[in-house]
Amino acid sequence: MTPRDTPAPRAAPARRPGPPGPRVDPAWQGGGSGTPAGPPPPSTRPAHVDPAWTGEDAGLAPARSGAPDTPRQVPDEPPVRDAEALPAGTAPSSAVPAARGRGRHAAPRGGRLGRGLVRAAVVSGVLTVAGAVLGLLRDQTIAHLFGASSESDAFLIAWTVPELAATLLIEDAMALLLVPAFSHALARKDDPGAVRDLVSATFPRLFAVLVGVAALLMAGAPLVVRLLAPGFGDPRLAVECTRLTALTVLTFGVTGYFSAALRAHGSFLAPAAVYTAYNAGIIATTLALHSLWGVRAAAAGVAVGGALMILVQAPGFARHLGGLAPLARPRRTRGTPLIGAALLAPVVLFAVSRQAQVLVERFLAAPLPAGAISHLNYAQKVAQMPMVLSLMVCTVTFPVVAQAMATGDRERARRRVEEDLAMAGTVVLLGTAYVVGYAPAIIDVLFRRGAFDAQDSATTAGVMRVYAAGLLGHCLVGALGRPFFSAGRPTWFPAAAMAVGLAVTVAAGAAAVGPYGVHGIAAANAAGISVTALLLLHGLGSRVVVIEVRAIGLRIGRLALAAAAATGAALIAAPVTGGPVVSLAAGVLLVPLMFLVTARALGAPEAVHLLALVHRRLRHDR
């Protein structure tokens, strides 16, 4: 069959007979979850991959913005062969296949992850794990040097600033706002300088705002500490640490801007490496200066780490932009319709409300005995690792969803979102089972040394198990927030849903902190985020992307039952399999095995298909 686009130098692979229209690859489709897909839209892509052009980083990078669409060679990288791997309008004219057949060079169907996206997800996952490992080493270093004490609590109060800044400026608000904006600019083939115009119109003003906010936070640090922890016993130390961490407002803002631009260009390596650089800076500074500055050294390390995050991404950003000159040339342009206040306000409110759960926890825990904030922090950091890993797929595919929405291809967006939810749910529920079953052993291995004693370890493990009840909710909120904002239109529903969940957290936490202490605070967090996830899941299907809400719910429900079975097996096996290290090693085999067996018995093939896909990709790449 001849593709409906312009003739190409080489014929497209023949299409095998089958039902019309794109479909979800069976390796990524759950039992009976989706509706039959309609016929594909007319293609505007050429029918072959130009072997002279190869991708960058994760194999996804397009031609440099503002430069002619000419092929360019990057050493030691295979050609990009998946149309879904590239944002619209960014590839050279012969770089993207349009064929829908099953040949080796065919474009991916439906919600299937293309080869380039799989590579990007794997690279991002590896670097995220590296950053998480360094994050744990960072927490271990602070716990070893300062234990769960008033000093560590003072640092964690100051740590609220980079936590909130990361959510607003790197992970949520900046990405939700700028990835669609850059994707739209890249799709404007008639204007090769659209991205440079976008940067000139937005970055200089953003930089000025970030500088002003950082200076305001440093000057108002005493008030910030009083608001965050009104009953804290050593506010002066917390104020000094807060003034150092306030610098992250500037560094994280620039980091988030660079990350959004690079991801929209299909470059994921540098954005995934930022937390590795960040945590390395904190650890090195803390170890070098703790004997002189005490816990202030850790706060100074936060400032150093933020600067390293910018340096990691600056070369790639300059390469795609053709230099850094647009960063310092403010000007107005008609090419920035997606950066208006009407869109900015709901995105920021959604991100702030999401991070406000942590502020509520710190506020409620401040009057509790010394170490309460530290117990909550360490438990949350470890418990959320499965959630962070589960969202890697959604991070990589967000430009794909934004591109589909920008071109009006809502069917493609629906398939992508449904498969992302299923895959993210599989990963987070598998991780939840392991965290709940082996919580004491995990905390003992990671933190029980130095000033962090057995009581601290036991309390943190108990809190971590309670936190784990909300991991699926956190995962779904992170995955569902992206498609809401991918269309580039103002929508207040996510912020409203987040506000309802926050109200549940506040009410439940206030009621539970008295009788249950830190465990009650963690339970309130899980309840609030779960309510938000249910609201977003229902609202997405009726407002933005018409997903099969009932089918998705059934798929996730089967996975949750499989996770419950794996958790039960872990709870039984953990006390009888030796010391902490041996027990954790046994759990690495037991939990996935029990999860997969139960998932297959319940008719939930997502977990099995995930492993099959990875195995198939590994064999293909060898």
Side-chain angles (χ1 to χ4, degrees), residues 322-608:
L324 297 177
L327 296 178
R329 293 177 182 172
R331 62 173 174 172
R332 293 186 178 275
T333 176
R334 293 177 296 175
T336 59
L338 299 180
I339 316 294
L343 181 62
L344 179 64
V347 171
V348 171
L349 185 58
F350 170 75
V352 170
S353 299
R354 186 179 179 190
Q355 187 60 29
Q357 288 209 332
V358 176
L359 305 182
V360 171
E361 293 178 8
R362 303 271 164 85
F363 183 88
L364 294 174
L368 296 178
I373 296 177
S374 297
H375 295 146
L376 288 167
N377 175 76
Y378 295 136
Q380 187 182 63
K381 288 294 189 297
V382 178
Q384 287 188 350
M385 285 189 66
M387 181 268 293
V388 172
L389 292 175
S390 70
L391 290 178
M392 279 299 97
V393 170
C394 301
T395 298
V396 169
T397 60
F398 181 36
V400 175
V401 177
Q403 171 194 341
M405 296 297 289
T407 58
D409 192 351
R410 293 181 178 270
E411 177 64 17
R412 181 188 180 199
R414 178 191 67 80
R415 293 193 302 267
R416 180 71 271 143
V417 170
E418 287 185 354
E419 295 309 314
D420 287 352
L421 290 174
M423 288 300 102
T426 300
V427 175
V428 77
L429 287 170
L430 178 59
T432 299
Y434 189 81
V435 165
V436 174
Y438 293 93
I442 293 172
I443 298 301
D444 280 351
V445 169
L446 293 179
F447 297 113
R448 190 174 171 182
R449 58 182 61 84
F452 201 88
D453 58 25
Q455 182 60 44
D456 292 327
S457 181
T459 302
T460 302
V463 173
M464 187 168 75
R465 279 175 164 162
V466 179
Y467 265 132
L471 284 182
L472 178 60
H474 281 287
C475 171
L476 292 179
V477 169
L480 291 166
R482 289 168 169 83
F484 267 105
F485 298 108
S486 62
R489 296 192 304 270
T491 173
W492 288 94
F493 184 83
M498 199 67 244
V500 172
L502 182 61
V504 172
T505 299
V506 171
V513 65
Y516 302 108
V518 290
H519 297 84
I521 296 174
N525 179 296
I529 201 67
S530 298
V531 169
T532 298
L534 290 174
L535 292 174
L536 289 177
L537 183 62
H538 177 74
L540 181 65
S542 61
R543 285 171 173 79
V544 182
V545 181
V546 186
I547 62 173
E548 296 283 343
V549 177
R550 179 179 175 82
I552 288 293
L554 291 174
R555 293 170 74 173
I556 294 177
R558 289 192 292 264
L559 293 170
L561 290 176
T567 301
L571 290 171
I572 294 172
V576 298
T577 49
V581 175
V582 175
S583 179
L584 292 176
V588 170
L589 300 176
L590 174 65
V591 171
L593 178 61
M594 192 68 185
F595 182 86
L596 294 175
V597 169
T598 308
R600 179 178 287 277
L602 293 172
E606 289 87 357
V608 178

Side-chain angles (χ1 to χ4, degrees), residues 226-319:
R226 283 198 297 270
L227 291 174
L228 292 177
F232 186 63
D234 190 0
R236 181 177 178 180
L237 180 59
V239 166
E240 294 174 355
C241 291
T242 300
R243 284 179 170 147
L244 290 168
T245 60
L247 292 171
T248 57
V249 172
L250 174 60
T251 56
F252 283 17
V254 177
T255 296
Y257 193 96
F258 285 5
S259 294
L262 289 172
R263 285 169 177 161
H265 280 82
S267 179
F268 296 90
L269 179 61
V274 294
Y275 285 108
T276 301
Y278 176 60
N279 288 318
I282 296 175
I283 294 169
T285 307
T286 302
L287 292 176
L289 300 177
H290 74 91
S291 59
L292 298 175
W293 290 1
V295 79
R296 298 172 189 83
V302 171
V304 172
L308 293 177
M309 296 170 93
I310 298 175
L311 295 178
V312 165
Q313 297 187 104
F317 183 84
R319 185 167 58 251

Side-chain angles (χ1 to χ4, degrees), residues 68 163 186 316 381 399 574:
E163 275 188 317
L186 288 165
K381 288 294 189 297

